[in-house]
Amino acid sequence: MSDATHGPDNLTGITPDTGLKIGKSDKDGPMLAADGTPLKTSLNRALRRQKRRALMLIAPLLLFILLTFIYPIGEMLFRSVENQIVGDTLPRTVRVLADWNPDETEVPGPAVFSALAKDMTVASEEKNHTRLGSRLNYEVSGISSLFRKTGRNVDDIGENYTEQFVALDPAWEDPQTFVDIFAGPRWVEANAAYDGEGRRPTFRLAEGVGEVLPQTASIYRDFARVVQVEDDDNPAEEEPWNSVYLALYEDLRDGAAIPADFPHAALLTAAQAAVPNFATTNLQAAFVDMDKDWTDREVWRTIQTYSAPYTTGYFLNAADLQLTPDGIAWRPENERVYITLFVRTLIMSTAITVACILLGYPIGWLLANLPSRQANLLMILVLLPFWTSLLVRTSAWKVLLQDQGVINDLLVWIGFVSDGNRLALINNATGTIIAMTHILLPFMILPLYSVMKTIPPSYLRAAKSLGATNWTAFWRVYFPQSVPGIGAGSILVFILAIGYYITPEIVGGTKGVFISNRIAYHISTSLNWGLAAALGAILLVIVMAFYWAYDRIVGIDNVKLGG
């Protein structure tokens, strides 16, 4: 009961409802909250606070996933297009080689070999020439040994010019001469004050020296950097490389304009007057003496083709194609393996998934319909393989499936096959399917069991009471309700199967391995991470395509793990 004074509509004080009305009425302006701010602004502020609190709660998990999952995968996939090693290791060569037309000359001109001499000197000191050779060796066999052999002897190139500069004036043998010419005054001061603690001051070129002696300044800067970083020495105390004298000769030969106030201007002017009489070195012949493959046009075309910082070459190789100087072409027929492996992986993964459905469905039904005591005992047997090492289980199948193994001996004993016609169950697709079906079967049984457990047995009894046969009751009543379990189990088994490589490697031989085996090979053995990343990216796209197709046909919302 309520009256006009004490009813619920006549409460004294401010309530949540009346608080919203304090201030102005709807006619006079926007509705206000209890604190006098507009209601819309107050609600938006509250929503922002809620979102910030929710974000802070999940931020540690997001950060963990980003650092341990997303970033490593992204970094690995980036390797499938990254190709900066050629341009970073041979910057001068790549720049000059861009103007070379392989249709006009068999090999590039002297300027390219001069740039190569300087780049290879730096690369051999930094030990990068072997990495570059390994990268290009993926495209043309033999380049790796070419770069290794050249790296061992490239420091001798330009020695002829070193001797002539020193013979012209002994000052050219003094490292301080080059410091006076090329080093910036701030670096000279900081280097002189360096006491051996911490990092040595980073070398800086003097202002304007790159305009007067561009090639020498560039290679001397690399020399100083390598001496500091790689050798932890003082550039002011180390005699420059022979390639520095080669660059100095070329700058003076090309008519460098030496200002009167330039450091050691008289020394440089005297050297410039003498260089026309220097005995020159045929750089191309010097490289050919190291390895005759430097006259191979395909080597130079490969360097030119793969000089860009990014490449499609890895993805083309993953599809049995190759990027050549003439465009995209098929790889030699005896090297086309990846499309075959992709097709084999998909077919065998599908076969394994189907085998797991056929074997796992009856077991799931049995688990769901047995009394709890027997069902728990059977569940222990299903989970037992998880307590055994994957390697042990796979090795056990190798023993069982071999020609003289247990299975073949049993078949011979019962007379199913003759001793001379034992079944080939190992080192082929059959062995892979058998072993992986056994390993992945629990991943099918568990989703099926969890879904089947939620299907009331009364549904089947009701169908039978209405006249349905056992088959009709199963097919039209029970099976449709178990489809979500089949979907969940199939996704688990298929995705796990498509990425397996240990089991196929042990029992698959040459005809039962998956594409994942090649990915593992390129990561751990050949160290061709770019190709491994490209193969992995293609495999990821294929899996996502199947996932999308499954969602469109069946619907991912229909996948359940029970409940």
Side-chain angles (χ1 to χ4, degrees), residues 453-474:
K453 192 68 176 176
T454 64
I455 302 175
S458 59
Y459 287 3
L460 287 177
R461 293 196 296 268
K464 292 177 183 179
S465 68
L466 293 173
T469 63
N470 288 336
W471 169 253
T472 301
F474 165 76

Side-chain angles (χ1 to χ4, degrees), residues 282-318:
N282 187 327
L283 297 179
Q284 178 178 336
F287 275 98
V288 173
D289 287 342
M290 297 180 202
D291 196 306
K292 60 182 179 59
D293 284 345
W294 285 116
T295 60
D296 186 353
R297 183 171 62 171
E298 290 305 310
V299 171
W300 290 105
R301 295 179 74 187
T302 301
I303 296 174
Q304 188 182 56
T305 301
Y306 288 92
S307 60
Y310 303 102
T311 180
T312 59
Y314 290 123
F315 278 100
L316 292 174
N317 289 340

Side-chain angles (χ1 to χ4, degrees), residues 217-231:
S218 175
I219 188 63
Y220 187 81
R221 179 177 55 199
D222 286 340
F223 159 77
R225 174 177 53 81
V226 170
V227 168
Q228 285 186 307
V229 176
E230 301 295 330
D231 303 334

Side-chain angles (χ1 to χ4, degrees), residues 173-195:
E173 195 173 16
D174 185 0
Q176 188 60 41
T177 301
F178 288 87
V179 171
D180 294 341
I181 296 173
F182 296 101
R186 290 186 178 179
W187 178 83
V188 173
E189 182 179 342
N191 189 61
Y194 177 67
D195 59 0

Side-chain angles (χ1 to χ4, degrees), residues 49-117:
R49 284 198 298 267
Q50 290 179 358
K51 290 179 180 179
R52 282 197 296 268
R53 284 197 295 267
L55 181 61
M56 292 301 294
L57 287 173
I58 65 172
L61 178 60
L62 287 177
L63 184 62
F64 176 79
I65 293 175
L66 180 64
L67 294 179
T68 63
F69 186 73
I70 303 298
Y71 177 77
I73 290 179
E75 181 72 16
M76 185 65 188
L77 293 180
F78 176 71
R79 292 176 180 268
S80 63
V81 295
E82 188 269 336
N83 191 53
Q84 298 176 9
I85 185 173
V86 180
D88 289 347
T89 308
L90 304 177
R92 302 172 181 85
T93 308
V94 166
R95 188 164 51 250
V96 181
L97 191 62
D99 299 328
W100 174 59
N101 187 348
D103 296 329
E104 295 179 358
T105 58
E106 188 71 18
V107 294
V112 173
F113 283 96
S114 174
L116 180 64

Side-chain angles (χ1 to χ4, degrees), residues 149-450:
K149 188 182 298 184
T150 303
R152 290 194 295 266
N153 301 285
V154 71
D155 57 340
D156 293 333
I157 292 183
E159 185 177 7
N160 175 43
Y161 298 104
T162 303
E163 294 173 351
Q164 293 182 82
F165 272 106
V166 173
L168 185 65
D169 194 315
W172 288 116
E173 195 173 16
D174 185 0
Q176 188 60 41
T177 301
F178 288 87
V179 171
D180 294 341
I181 296 173
F182 296 101
R186 290 186 178 179
W187 178 83
V188 173
E189 182 179 342
N191 189 61
Y194 177 67
D195 59 0
E197 297 294 332
R199 292 183 57 186
R200 188 180 294 275
T202 303
F203 179 82
R204 293 289 185 269
L205 284 173
E207 186 176 354
V209 69
E211 300 174 0
V212 178
L213 302 170
Q215 296 191 65
T216 317
S218 175
I219 188 63
Y220 187 81
R221 179 177 55 199
D222 286 340
F223 159 77
R225 174 177 53 81
V226 170
V227 168
Q228 285 186 307
V229 176
E230 301 295 330
D231 303 334
D232 195 24
D233 287 329
N234 185 0
E237 300 174 355
E238 298 292 326
E239 185 176 352
W241 300 326
N242 290 323
S243 57
V244 175
Y245 291 92
L246 168 63
L248 180 61
Y249 163 78
E250 292 173 342
D251 280 333
L252 297 177
R253 178 201 62 189
D254 295 340
I258 311 297
D261 59 347
F262 198 75
H264 291 288
L267 185 66
L268 287 166
T269 302
Q272 189 172 30
V275 293
N277 300 319
F278 275 18
T280 59
T281 299
N282 187 327
L283 297 179
Q284 178 178 336
F287 275 98
V288 173
D289 287 342
M290 297 180 202
D291 196 306
K292 60 182 179 59
D293 284 345
W294 285 116
T295 60
D296 186 353
R297 183 171 62 171
E298 290 305 310
V299 171
W300 290 105
R301 295 179 74 187
T302 301
I303 296 174
Q304 188 182 56
T305 301
Y306 288 92
S307 60
Y310 303 102
T311 180
T312 59
Y314 290 123
F315 278 100
L316 292 174
N317 289 340
D320 292 334
L321 299 168
Q322 59 182 339
L323 181 63
T324 68
D326 299 322
I328 298 174
W330 286 101
R331 297 193 69 83
E333 192 167 347
N334 61 338
E335 297 179 10
R336 301 177 193 174
V337 296
Y338 295 117
I339 291 180
T340 301
L341 286 175
F342 274 116
V343 173
R344 178 192 298 169
T345 299
L346 295 176
I347 292 175
M348 292 179 63
S349 296
T350 303
I352 292 167
T353 303
V354 171
C356 286
I357 293 173
L358 296 177
L359 294 175
Y361 198 94
I363 299 175
W365 182 88
L366 192 61
L367 284 169
N369 290 278
L370 279 176
S372 297
R373 185 181 182 87
Q374 290 87 335
N376 290 337
L377 179 61
L378 187 57
M379 180 61 73
I380 293 175
L381 298 178
V382 171
L383 297 176
L384 189 60
F386 287 130
W387 305 338
T388 308
S389 168
L390 173 63
L391 190 60
V392 171
R393 284 181 282 163
T394 304
S395 301
W397 276 111
K398 192 173 182 67
V399 174
L400 291 171
L401 297 174
Q402 60 184 324
D403 291 345
Q404 304 298 323
V406 176
I407 294 178
N408 266 307
D409 285 346
L410 179 62
L411 294 177
V412 170
W413 182 71
I414 64 177
F416 187 80
V417 296
S418 64
D419 189 55
N421 294 309
R422 291 173 175 257
L423 300 180
L425 302 176
I426 197 69
N427 296 329
N428 52 29
T430 303
T432 299
I433 292 175
I434 293 174
M436 289 187 61
T437 299
H438 164 251
I439 290 170
L440 297 178
L441 187 58
F443 294 98
M444 179 65 71
I445 294 175
L446 294 176
L448 284 171
Y449 165 71
S450 63

